[in-house]
Amino acid sequence: MSGVVTGDAVVLGLQPARLPSRALAVLIDLVVVWAAYLLVMLGLAVATASLDEAAVAAVSVAAFLLILVGAPIAVETLSHGRSLGKMACGLRVVRDDGGPIRFRHALVRGAMGVVEILMTFGVVACVASLVSERGRRLGDVFAGTLVVRERMPAARVLPVPPPPPWLVGRFAGLDLSAVPEALWLEVRQYLTRARELDPAVGRRLAERLADELVARTGTPPPAGVPAYAYLAGVVAERQARDTRRAFTETGVGGGASIGDRTGAGVAARTGDGARTGFEAGRGFGVPAVAVPPVVPPSGASPVAPPPSGTPASGSATGFVPPA
């Protein structure tokens, strides 16, 4: 991503287009423009058959400038930086500050494109794009423009697995106000990717994240609870609190909250197909959402309830796998 600073000192995260996508867009544009140019020249050859050579040469030069140079400039100006090839590849030409281009930007780009692309068969444009940090050709440098990607692939969001059944509700009194968002993001990423990690690396990472959570909350975890199970339980508690707060702050008729009107509560159930959901009374309910059960990282022992009355021992971090 490229940090583009607007005139209001706002940083925009834009992804510059690289050489392969730009080359494909230029190729599509050239095919369309040259096809139109050849059709026009065939028509002019028939229409100017009775003219002398000087008149035919003047008409040919005018057609070249209007179609191969003027048409791309007009299209980029009217479409604010989106030619036919760029629309097909999901690209757009913008100013250095992220704003839409104007006629002068398209004019400079088109004039330099004659030298970079038409006269040198794209060699100069390819070399300049490879050398530039943001993939800009000489026309972009002189015009103060940048070609960026408009269509970005959507990120796949993985669900966070719920905690083991015996940890549900164990962290209801935990103070989570001092935990920063960056730490929540790290914990979520670990829980969703734990099975892909090396067992030893995943165990050390879980213990480090759990120690950071303990330092922020000021409350040690229950004795004998593994680090990954502790992280899953704390994240589930935070999600439950956020959902309860969202339902409480949403008014339903006359200013009454959903919690007051329905007596909605949070119900968590785990089993073969572990799931969590919200069940509301008196006819108002939200269907439960199926979530895959928590699976310990490969190489770790199965999660089981800690033995009552058995203190944790033998771990510098305070997290010991259950017997």
Side-chain angles (χ1 to χ4, degrees):
M1 303 296 287
S2 176
V4 177
V5 182
T6 67
D8 298 328
V10 177
V11 180
L12 301 178
L14 301 177
Q15 182 176 3
R18 295 303 177 184
L19 182 59
S21 57
R22 294 193 62 175
L24 179 59
V26 170
L27 182 60
I28 295 174
D29 290 336
L30 288 178
V31 170
V32 174
V33 171
W34 276 102
Y37 176 70
L38 292 178
L39 291 176
V40 171
M41 290 304 296
L42 288 177
L44 290 177
V46 175
T48 60
S50 59
L51 300 178
D52 57 6
E53 293 183 1
V56 172
V59 171
S60 301
V61 172
F64 176 85
L65 292 177
L66 287 177
I67 297 176
L68 294 181
V69 180
I73 294 175
V75 170
E76 282 198 353
T77 303
L78 296 177
S79 63
H80 300 291
R82 297 184 69 194
S83 63
L84 183 62
K86 291 181 176 62
M87 285 194 302
C89 298
L91 309 180
R92 179 190 286 272
V93 183
V94 296
R95 301 196 307 258
D96 278 338
D97 60 356
I101 64 172
R102 301 183 183 275
F103 172 73
R104 59 185 179 87
H105 303 98
L107 178 61
V108 175
R109 280 175 48 83
M112 291 299 301
V114 174
V115 179
E116 288 185 276
I117 300 174
L118 297 181
M119 297 181 63
T120 63
F121 300 98
V123 175
V124 175
C126 290
V127 173
S129 181
L130 290 174
V131 172
S132 174
E133 181 183 359
R134 296 192 289 180
R136 303 200 299 175
R137 62 179 178 90
L138 294 181
D140 293 317
V141 176
F142 285 106
T145 57
L146 176 68
V147 181
V148 298
R149 298 191 64 87
E150 279 193 313
R151 295 196 296 263
M152 300 291 294
R156 187 167 58 97
V157 180
L158 299 177
V160 178
W166 47 272
L167 276 183
V168 174
R170 295 285 296 274
F171 305 103
L174 205 61
D175 182 13
L176 305 178
S177 58
V179 182
E181 290 297 327
L183 182 55
W184 286 122
L185 180 60
E186 286 188 63
V187 174
R188 178 186 175 90
Q189 290 177 342
Y190 164 75
L191 291 175
T192 55
R193 304 291 185 182
R195 300 183 64 183
E196 303 174 8
L197 300 175
D198 179 77
V201 175
R203 191 178 305 109
R204 289 195 299 267
L205 179 59
E207 292 177 355
R208 180 182 66 81
L209 293 174
D211 286 339
E212 292 186 19
L213 272 180
V214 170
R216 296 286 184 172
T217 58
T219 303
V225 176
Y228 63 86
Y230 170 72
L231 295 175
V234 175
V235 170
E237 176 62 28
R238 194 227 181 178
Q239 291 177 341
R241 293 183 186 181
D242 291 343
T243 308
R244 286 198 300 267
R245 187 181 304 112
F247 271 83
T248 303
E249 292 175 356
T250 305
V252 179
S257 65
I258 292 180
D260 297 334
R261 295 287 297 270
T262 65
V266 179
R269 290 179 290 177
T270 52
D272 293 335
R275 63 189 183 89
T276 58
F278 295 95
E279 295 181 352
R282 287 190 279 187
F284 185 91
V286 179
V289 180
V291 182
V294 64
V295 179
S298 61
S301 58
V303 180
S308 58
T310 304
S313 60
S315 175
T317 61
F319 297 100
V320 240

